[in-house]
């Protein structure tokens, strides 16, 4: 078989049983389709998200939750400390009141001093009650924030687990498809003469789509209008020759 390719020129005459063989251009088209399918699966495989985005959010949530819990715990401790201090002030005030009204103390100066102590304790208690109330409100707000973030974290953790499982299933499918496509590609490549295969690889190294269909009299990729004589030649059976697009250099095929 004569191995040749023509850039928009005439196709050499064929002899013998070459006329009944499949067009090498069509074989390269089929090879190109396999290469495209492989590239698509490889792209999909590389683009698989095993949940890295969600995992980052989960890690952020966990850090925020830890900080919130620490603040909530500090607010609860402060609230309880304030409540204990209130009880201590109340007990102290009660003792002063008992002494004040017991009749045991009759010295006016001592009585006046006790009254001042009670008034001071009342002021301290009022200030402390306000502080405890604010601390209580803060603790309640933080408790709600903790509960809300715990719910978000649980939901995202479940989503991440599901996404990871989905990604693993998709990866197995893509890897199986790739294995099959690569085997088919190897078999298809072995059936093509090395010179034609080398030409295909050379075009493919320069252009993303090395084989182009003829569509409405034009190259299906660069859309250059093909000469009438070239179109006539493309319709003939020419298994041992390639015609390249005069515009872009792609291998032309009629499908």
């Amino acid at each position: 078989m004569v191995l040749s390719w023509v850039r928009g020129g005439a196709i050499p005459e064929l002899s013998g049983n070459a006329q009944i063989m499949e067009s090498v251009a069509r074989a390269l088209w089929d090879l190109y389709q396999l290469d495209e399918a492989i590239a698509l699966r490889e792209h999909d495989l590389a683009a698989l998200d095993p949940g890295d985005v969600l995992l980052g959010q989960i890690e952020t949530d966990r850090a925020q939750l830890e900080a919130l819990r620490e603040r909530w715990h500090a607010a609860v401790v402060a609230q309880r400390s304030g409540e204990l201090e209130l009880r201590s002030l109340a007990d102290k005030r009660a003792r002063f009141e008992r002494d004040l009204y017991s009749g045991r103390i009759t010295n006016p100066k001592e009585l006046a001093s006790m009254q001042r102590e009670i008034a001071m304790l009342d002021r301290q208690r009022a200030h402390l009650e306000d502080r405890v109330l604010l601390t209580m409100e803060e603790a309640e707000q933080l408790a709600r924030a903790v509960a809300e973030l715990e719910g978000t974290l649980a939901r995202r953790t479940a989503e991440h687990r599901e996404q990871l499982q989905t990604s693993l299933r998709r990866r197995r499918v893509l890897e199986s498809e790739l294995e099959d496509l690569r085997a088919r590609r190897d078999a298809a490549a072995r059936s093509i003469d090395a010179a034609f295969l080398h030409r295909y690889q050379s075009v493919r190294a320069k252009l993303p789509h090395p084989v182009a269909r003829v569509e409405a009299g034009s190259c299906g990729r660069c859309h250059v209008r093909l000469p009438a004589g070239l179109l006539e030649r493309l319709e003939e059976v020419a298994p041992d020759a390639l015609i390249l697009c005069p515009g872009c250099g792609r291998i032309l095929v009629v499908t």
Side-chain angles (χ1 to χ4, degrees), residues 150-168:
E150 285 175 341
T152 299
L153 180 59
R155 183 170 61 255
R156 282 180 175 163
T157 300
E159 288 176 3
H160 177 259
R161 184 165 51 250
E162 182 178 351
Q163 186 172 354
L164 182 60
Q165 292 172 351
T166 300
S167 177
L168 288 174

Side-chain angles (χ1 to χ4, degrees), residues 47-158:
L48 277 179
D49 181 9
D52 291 343
V53 174
L54 267 177
L55 186 59
Q57 293 174 335
I58 288 170
E59 291 174 352
T60 300
D61 288 345
R62 285 174 176 164
Q64 290 179 345
L65 183 58
E66 182 178 355
L68 273 176
R69 282 172 173 165
E70 288 179 358
R71 290 175 57 195
W72 175 51
H73 177 71
V76 169
V77 169
Q79 176 189 337
R80 292 174 179 172
S81 176
E83 289 171 346
L84 287 174
E85 192 174 348
L86 276 175
R87 284 197 289 271
S88 176
L89 287 176
D91 291 342
K92 190 174 182 180
R93 187 183 188 283
R95 288 197 300 272
F96 275 116
E97 278 196 331
R98 284 197 300 270
D99 290 340
L100 182 64
Y101 298 111
S102 66
R104 181 175 57 85
I105 300 174
T106 57
N107 187 311
K109 289 184 178 181
E110 289 187 33
L111 291 173
S113 175
M114 293 178 64
Q115 288 174 339
R116 286 193 297 271
E117 288 288 343
I118 291 174
M120 183 185 67
L121 290 173
D122 286 341
R123 289 192 298 271
Q124 290 178 350
R125 184 178 64 181
H127 176 73
L128 188 55
E129 284 176 344
D130 290 341
R131 195 178 72 189
V132 169
L133 182 60
L134 290 175
T135 305
M136 183 184 302
E137 291 175 351
E138 181 185 7
E140 290 175 351
Q141 291 173 356
L142 288 170
R144 286 193 295 269
V146 166
E148 182 178 349
L149 190 51
E150 285 175 341
T152 299
L153 180 59
R155 183 170 61 255
R156 282 180 175 163
T157 300

